[in-house]
Amino acid sequence: MEIKKINIGLIGAGFMAKAHSIAYAGMPMFFWPAPAIPVKKMIVDMNEDIARDAKDKLGFESYSTDWHDIINDPSIAVVDICTPNNAHADIAIAAAEAGKHIICEKPLALTSEQARRMYLAAKKNNVKTMVAFNYRKTPAVQLAKKYIDEGAIGEILDFRGTYLQDWSADPESPLSWRFQKAVCGSGALGDIGTHVVDMLRFLVGDFKKVNARTATYIKERPFQSGMSDSLGNARVGENTPKKAVDVDDQCIFMVECANGAFGSIEATRNAWGRNNYITFEIHGTKGSIYFNYERRDELQVCFADDAADRRGFRTVYTGPNHPYGEGLWPIPALGIGYTETKIIECYDFFRALQDGSEAAPNFRDGYAIELISDAILESARTHQWVDVKSTEE
Ligand code: SOE
């Protein structure tokens, strides 16, 4: 069987470049016949040593230090943006104008205004887009969506979500780009809170209003220049001057959804002992669902219709009978990892290219999440409920 090859140009050779490159290689091995064979054509990093190394390590055919080389290469059909957030908009808009399909790391942009321009450029040029909110691709999260859509927990009443990490809890960990508003846009909110927003929008529905508080507990950190980031593990030398942190360490907010459900979400990278603690619990009129990414093979469910003497949370281990099970592992509980979520993300994107459907989450979702983030930050300033603007306003 002849399967189409699609050339990829990837920009930004850090942590995410590794995750996406593994996904390009692995996707056809899991999902066969694959919707396309991704070909790792060119990788770009501003730092030539990093770019050259990444080419060899991640298996690209060529490298460059200038992302325009990807935009100007007519053989490249997909642009993959893995840079820090401040570079997303320029690259994505140039890629859309060159007619290239785009995968962009999260959050989509520095501001909702940038996100809007990205969304409109993609729409005008009719290119497919994906924002890499990969956690919704976890099979257990997709199973939660299936149960909800089938009505298995009835009408959703309320929910709560968390994303807790501890890699920035040490005040001596560096002020990397993730703490500089001009580069990242916002702190814990944009970096990790948006993942939970994406999952709960996907599961529960559109957010209508929010009421938020944010805090910056560690007011200054040793300054780290450049775009590399080892997530709290780096040390920048004892006498490194400190600079002010101008983004949130923590955000907590209440949500009212368009369908009437209420919820709360919290995000922090300063919760000692918590590593990648992404959780949600959703209560409906006929049951409840609980998920914790640190136990991502499992979905806990309770169905009100169970006999009274056996009602309670049960654990379903995802496997071949669950979403994406046809391509993953042959028995439940062999272990879903971060890589599998990225492989599924890649599969969904190439399926959209193949059949012309919309990928999800796409730039419209990414823009909607920027509008939610705006409302959260405004509410944190005013201490009022703030309405979330619609992407169509
Ligand atoms: C740092 O908080 C980070 O790398 C996030 O940026 C990612 O989106 C998350 O998946 C892991 O943690």
Side-chain angles (χ1 to χ4, degrees), residues 130-184:
M130 166 86 90
V131 189
F133 286 116
N134 59 303
Y135 295 111
R136 75 149 81 173
K137 304 293 180 185
T138 314
V141 177
Q142 296 286 326
L143 182 60
K145 170 76 173 158
K146 180 169 182 280
Y147 287 160
I148 290 169
D149 288 353
E150 288 170 356
I153 64 161
E155 194 184 319
I156 295 177
L157 302 172
D158 58 68
F159 59 89
R160 60 174 183 265
T162 67
Y163 196 152
L164 313 179
Q165 298 181 323
D166 70 359
W167 62 264
S168 81
D170 177 353
E172 294 307 315
S173 71
L175 190 129
S176 70
W177 65 266
R178 286 179 207 266
F179 301 88
Q180 301 170 33
K181 186 170 180 202
V183 190
C184 60

Side-chain angles (χ1 to χ4, degrees), residues 15-16 105-106 134-135 163 165 167 178 191-192 195 231 269 276 338:
F15 165 27
M16 282 305 132
E105 262 304 325
K106 42 51 62 180
N134 59 303
Y135 295 111
Y163 196 152
Q165 298 181 323
W167 62 264
R178 286 179 207 266
D191 189 22
I192 58 174
H195 275 300
L231 298 169
R269 300 172 296 193
N276 214 43
Y338 189 71

Side-chain angles (χ1 to χ4, degrees), residues 180-200:
Q180 301 170 33
K181 186 170 180 202
V183 190
C184 60
S186 67
L189 169 60
D191 189 22
I192 58 174
T194 50
H195 275 300
V196 192
V197 170
D198 177 62
M199 282 195 303
L200 286 164

Side-chain angles (χ1 to χ4, degrees), residues 171-237:
E172 294 307 315
S173 71
L175 190 129
S176 70
W177 65 266
R178 286 179 207 266
F179 301 88
Q180 301 170 33
K181 186 170 180 202
V183 190
C184 60
S186 67
L189 169 60
D191 189 22
I192 58 174
T194 50
H195 275 300
V196 192
V197 170
D198 177 62
M199 282 195 303
L200 286 164
R201 252 187 104 237
F202 171 60
L203 294 168
V204 177
D206 283 338
F207 289 13
K208 191 168 123 202
K209 291 173 185 215
V210 292
N211 194 329
R213 297 295 180 271
T214 59
T216 305
Y217 297 114
I218 300 174
K219 308 264 183 243
E220 51 174 27
R221 295 174 181 272
F223 183 68
Q224 181 190 35
S225 60
M227 293 303 164
S228 73
D229 178 23
S230 38
L231 298 169
N233 295 314
R235 279 291 169 277
V236 276

